[in-house]
Every structure is written in C-alpha cells, then in structure tokens.
C-alpha cells in the first residue's frame, strides 16, 4: 500500500500545489466559505428575532401566562 507513514505530511510539490490551488478548487472553496458565512448570519438573525418575539410576547401578556 502506497501512502505516507503515520504522522508524516504529504510532499507539497509544485504540481500538488497547482492542483490544490487550481481555479475550480478555489472557486468551490470560496462558494462554500461564503455559504457558511451566510448560514451563520442567518442563524444569528433568527436567534435575535426569536428573542425579540419572546420579549414582545412577554410585553403583550404582561408576564401572565
């Protein structure tokens, strides 16, 4: 079986670096990065909206359930 010994880093030859930093791979990385940021921002916005809804509910009911 070919491969690297346990704990050894792969050789970063110019050919390997060109493949890792190829435009299609960089575009995919950028897309996933931007997508992750957008999902994170939406999660924060949703949590803030839930907090505001809870505050509004408490204000409307004046703390009575």
């Amino acid at each position: 079986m070919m491969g690297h010994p346990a704990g050894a880093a792969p050789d970063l030859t110019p050919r390997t670096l060109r493949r890792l930093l190829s435009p299609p791979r960089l575009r995919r990385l950028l897309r996933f990065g931007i997508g992750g940021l957008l999902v994170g921002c939406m999660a924060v916005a949703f949590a803030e909206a839930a907090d505001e809804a809870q505050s509004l509910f408490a204000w409307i009911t004046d703390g009575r359930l």
Side-chain angles (χ1 to χ4, degrees), residues 7-8 15 40-41 57 61:
R15 181 179 179 193
C41 288
F57 178 76
T61 61

Side-chain angles (χ1 to χ4, degrees), residues 7-65:
D11 297 329
L12 292 178
T13 62
R15 181 179 179 193
T16 303
L17 285 175
R18 275 194 307 272
R19 185 176 57 82
L20 289 174
L21 300 176
S22 66
R25 192 175 289 244
L26 287 175
R27 280 193 301 269
R28 187 178 327 131
L29 180 64
L30 185 63
R31 266 186 266 147
F32 276 99
I34 291 172
L37 285 173
L38 290 174
V39 167
C41 288
M42 290 304 298
V44 169
F46 189 76
E48 291 289 330
D51 287 344
E52 288 298 318
Q54 183 68 32
S55 295
L56 178 63
F57 178 76
W59 178 76
I60 289 172
T61 61
D62 197 12
R64 297 182 305 271
L65 291 178

